[in-house]
Amino acid sequence: MVIDYTASWCGPCKFMEPIIKTMASKYTDVGFVKIDVDKLSDVAQEFGVQAMPTFFLLKQGKEVEMVVGAKKDELEKKIQIHRVV
């Protein structure tokens, strides 16, 4: 599962939005969840999110990777490593 911590005012988040949609279509075996840090600030705070976008990769309910920033290639590489096929 990929959790995308984002904000409506965040330029890099807007850049990543179509990329995340493409990845979600490509990796149908991976769940993608988008969390707006302004609407769910308590959740973002609990996970220690300090910059947007921040992506957490979870496997069997546990965090296995984190990507901070609009690093599409790094994110996709980590998805490929951790997905269950």
Side-chain angles (χ1 to χ4, degrees):
M1 174 178 282
V2 177
I3 302 176
D4 173 10
Y5 287 92
T6 187
S8 60
W9 47 263
C10 169
C13 299
K14 290 178 184 177
F15 167 77
M16 288 296 290
E17 189 169 349
I19 294 165
I20 296 300
K21 287 181 181 179
T22 299
M23 287 184 190
S25 296
K26 183 176 180 180
Y27 303 110
T28 57
D29 56 313
V30 177
F32 287 80
V33 177
K34 182 176 176 177
I35 295 179
D36 185 321
V37 298
D38 292 325
K39 293 180 182 174
L40 294 172
S41 59
D42 54 333
V43 175
Q45 189 174 34
E46 182 179 328
F47 278 84
V49 175
Q50 297 180 343
M52 272 67 66
T54 295
F55 303 93
F56 282 94
L57 281 77
L58 305 178
K59 194 171 187 176
Q60 297 178 345
K62 296 182 182 176
E63 179 188 334
V64 292
E65 295 280 0
M66 180 175 72
V67 177
V68 178
K71 300 173 185 169
K72 65 179 183 171
D73 294 334
E74 181 181 345
L75 178 61
E76 186 161 21
K77 182 178 176 184
K78 290 182 178 189
I79 289 170
Q80 290 171 345
I81 290 169
H82 293 290
R83 63 194 277 243
V84 179
V85 182

